[in-house]
Structures are given as C-alpha cells and as structure tokens.
Amino acid sequence: MSKKILILPGDGIGPEIMEQAVAVLNYLNQADNLGLELEQALVGGAAIDATGGPLPTETLAMAKAADAILFGAIGGPQWESLDMAIRPEKGLLGLRSNLELFGNLRPAILYPQLVEASSLKPDLVSGLDIVIVRELTGGIYFGQPRGIRTLENGERQGFNTYVYSESEIKRIGRLAFETAMKRNKKLCSVDKANVLEVTELWREVITDLGKEYPEVELSHMYVDNAAMQLIRAPKQFDVIVTGNMFGDILSDAAAMLTGSIGMLPSASLDQNSKGMYEPCHGSAPDIAGKGLANPLATLLSAAMMLRYSLNLDAAAVRIEQAVNTVLEQGYRTADIATGTDQKVSTAEMGAAVLNALNAQN
C-alpha cells in the first residue's frame, strides 16, 4: 500500500529547500521501493495570492487524507499589511489545530563538524543532543478571548489569553516522558509557576504524571532561568517539555547552539503519530531565490517523517548518514561556513546529499 505525503513548499525559501527534499525522497523511493506517493498543494502567502486565503479547503482536505506532511516555510513582508485573520501564518496554525498536531519535537543536535560554527565555546556545546517537546495547539497562541480593543478613554489595548486544560498538559507531558524513556530518562519541565497560575497548574499536572514514570528523573525550571541555562551550560539538558510560547522561544535559542537554525528539523505529531514535519527556520525572504538557503533542516525533517509517521527507519538513517557525510566532506552553505570551508549553494548541497546516498549503495 502506498504512503501519501503532502508537500507544502510555502513561501520565501520554502520552494527551493523543498525542491532538494523532494529530490531526496524521490531517489529513496525509487532506490529502496518505499511506496511513497508525493502530492503538492498551496499554503501561506502563495495560497493567499492564488485563492485569497492562507489555507485553502483543498489543501486542508489533502492534509487530512495524507499519511504525513512535509512543510517548507511561510510568510513575507508583502503579506504583513493583511488582517491578522488571513495572514500566511494562519495557514500553519490552521493545519496544526485542524489536524490536532499537539506535540512538537525539536531536536537540537550539534554535528561534530560544526562545533566551530556555534556561537558558544566548543567545550560548552561539543556533543550537544537535546530534544525540546513543545505543546503546539494550546496556550496563548490559541486562547480566547483575544484581540485589540479601544478603552473608554480612547486608548487601544491588545489582549491575549494564556490557558491550558489539565488534559492538554497531560497529553504533552506523556509524550515528553515517553521521549525521555527512549533517551537518557531525564526530563526538565519549564514553566513560570511563580507568577502565572496556568503554569502553576502545568507544574502540578507534570509532577503527578511523573509518578507513572519512576525511572525518569524529573526537574522543573522557570523559563527565564531555562533560557539562561541553555546558554550557560546547555548539556545539562536532555529532554525539555514546555508550553507553546515558551517552547517557541527556547527552541530557537537552542537552534543557535548548533551553529545555525538551518540545521534543525522538527516534527508535529497527533495522538496517532501522524505528523507534519518542517525545518525550524522561517521563510527568510531576504535570501529567497539566491541559492543561499540551507536545505539540511528540511532533509532532516524528511528523515523524521520517514521514522515517526511512516515507520521507514532504515530510509531515515540513510538520510541522516548522508547529511553527516556531506558535512564531513566539508560542504557548507553560507550559514554554517567558517574559515576555509567549501561554500555551496542550496542546490549544490542537495546534490551532495544525493551523491552521498548513491555512494551508500
């Protein structure tokens, strides 16, 4: 039986990085007879230009029918003047909420070849391997009421609601504990329980849930301290679990520990491990079309997709090994290049990965 993959290139550098991922998937599909069926649709700004909305009905229907989704990037300055309700980012949020993709896994792994590309000293980051588990469909990004209103004195006021239910916290907490069980059995839950009642409940629920996982060493940390500790001593962490907004910020901070956000993949999973996979970086409109974008995060996202949603672990390993090979060979896009590294374009990096895959046969 074929496995349907929906390809959503999106905006900015999305199409050019996705082109490399599709080439790799097509190669593996043919070489290893994976039974993949790739189809493509519009989302974000590209969908707005074509249909008037960031998440066309057809795209959502295709996403629901797919076994997995590979997502590029969305957004750009040309759409920033639009009403908040129809901006490109609403396409991504709509996919997450409609598909109930509540659990976001963001690994931050520093490849040994990129130690010098990190902004921190080598002794602080060498061997770094962290997973941030971010709750993705609740919290302040989805809470109601929200909006901008005018007060009686004529002053405008913006407001958002930060809310989590006990069941939402348990669901993401369980994913985090299960992830920790597969790694080093160490979990840090990040909150702001000293000032926010919603995260006081978060801490209580995570603590109670921890009783079901006695093998996991559970700790708690306030988000401001966690941000500092990620920079001071990042290797103290193994798995971090936190809410939507805190996870958004901390995972980007963790990205820079690895040398470039262009190296970080992510997985957004539902209750049954169906997922949407995307690089952690944005659409980078300033470099779109210039061949400067790093496609490796997208390729590594494709590897996560093969592993988590399609149960094709051997194919996932092949991609990961090929990425390691090209880094060992000295190929670097501009974001990870240092000193005398061999700088290559987006397409050249994709071609190097294909060559490495071919050499494995």
Side-chain angles (χ1 to χ4, degrees):
M1 181 180 293
S2 65
K3 302 173 178 67
K4 286 188 177 181
I5 299 174
L6 179 60
I7 303 295
L8 298 175
D11 313 317
I13 63 172
E16 53 197 293
I17 57 175
M18 191 63 75
E19 182 180 354
Q20 309 311 314
V22 168
V24 165
L25 288 172
N26 283 336
Y27 173 87
L28 288 173
N29 196 28
Q30 184 173 8
D32 297 352
N33 193 27
L34 300 181
L36 305 180
E37 181 182 329
L38 276 60
E39 50 188 3
Q40 190 165 311
L42 296 171
V43 73
I48 292 171
D49 292 345
T51 70
L55 182 58
T57 302
E58 180 183 7
T59 298
L60 181 57
M62 292 171 70
K64 289 180 177 180
D67 295 298
I69 302 156
L70 190 60
F71 189 97
I74 55 171
Q78 63 267 51
W79 300 290
E80 288 179 357
S81 61
L82 295 177
D83 184 89
M84 184 72 75
I86 59 168
R87 287 185 189 173
E89 291 75 15
K90 290 297 182 180
L92 179 58
L93 294 178
L95 284 166
R96 290 173 178 171
S97 59
N98 278 282
L99 300 177
E100 298 184 14
L101 305 176
F102 73 92
N104 185 226
L105 302 181
R106 294 196 172 193
I109 299 171
L110 178 60
Y111 284 82
Q113 302 92 339
L114 299 181
V115 169
E116 295 300 325
S118 174
S119 54
L120 296 189
K121 296 177 180 178
D123 61 304
L124 291 179
V125 292
S126 293
L128 182 73
D129 185 349
I130 299 172
V131 173
I132 295 179
V133 181
R134 169 190 172 192
E135 200 289 323
L136 205 58
T137 57
I140 201 167
Y141 291 173
F142 291 92
Q144 296 289 343
R146 61 189 296 157
I148 299 174
R149 59 192 171 199
T150 302
L151 303 178
E152 291 183 2
N153 64 1
E155 183 180 19
R156 291 191 302 161
Q157 181 185 68
F159 59 100
N160 292 86
T161 302
Y162 190 0
V163 58
Y164 270 117
S165 65
E166 188 172 6
S167 60
E168 288 176 311
I169 301 169
K170 281 185 177 179
R171 185 170 64 173
I172 192 65
R174 195 170 299 282
L175 177 61
F177 276 106
E178 293 292 341
T179 301
M181 285 293 291
K182 295 174 183 176
R183 289 171 54 89
N184 296 312
K185 299 180 180 178
K186 184 178 179 183
L187 176 63
C188 179
S189 176
V190 172
D191 56 45
K192 193 62 176 169
N194 55 335
V195 293
L196 296 173
E197 288 84 353
V198 61
T199 63
E200 182 180 7
L201 175 65
W202 177 285
R203 182 173 290 209
E204 290 176 4
V205 172
I206 294 293
T207 299
D208 287 343
L209 188 59
K211 297 173 184 176
E212 299 180 24
Y213 298 88
E215 296 178 64
V216 176
E217 177 190 342
L218 173 64
S219 62
H220 301 273
M221 193 175 289
Y222 296 144
V223 64
D224 44 354
N225 185 33
M228 182 189 72
Q229 294 296 333
L230 269 176
I231 307 304
R232 189 190 72 84
K235 287 186 287 186
Q236 69 182 282
F237 299 106
D238 188 63
V239 179
I240 295 172
V241 63
T242 190
N244 207 341
M245 179 171 61
F246 296 161
D248 193 357
I249 297 167
L250 292 179
S251 59
D252 278 9
M256 290 315 300
L257 304 177
T258 69
S260 171
I261 199 170
M263 291 297 301
L264 266 68
S266 75
S268 301
L269 305 174
D270 71 2
Q271 198 72 48
N272 300 310
S273 294
K274 174 178 174 175
M276 181 166 67
Y277 299 82
E278 60 181 302
C280 291
H281 59 69
S283 62
D286 56 320
I287 63 170
K290 298 180 180 179
L292 298 174
N294 186 347
L296 294 182
T298 309
L299 298 181
L300 292 169
S301 295
M304 292 185 75
M305 176 183 70
L306 293 171
R307 175 174 290 119
Y308 286 101
S309 289
L310 304 179
N311 296 315
L312 295 170
D313 191 67
V317 170
R318 288 195 66 185
I319 294 177
E320 291 162 349
Q321 289 177 342
V323 168
N324 189 71
T325 296
V326 299
L327 293 176
E328 192 65 34
Q329 291 170 340
Y331 293 108
R332 303 285 189 272
T333 46
D335 58 309
I336 53 175
T338 59
T340 58
D341 289 332
Q342 183 178 347
K343 283 191 181 181
V344 296
S345 68
T346 306
E348 289 169 338
M349 182 64 89
V353 173
L354 283 174
N355 289 336
L357 285 170
N358 191 51
Q360 293 172 1
N361 293 330

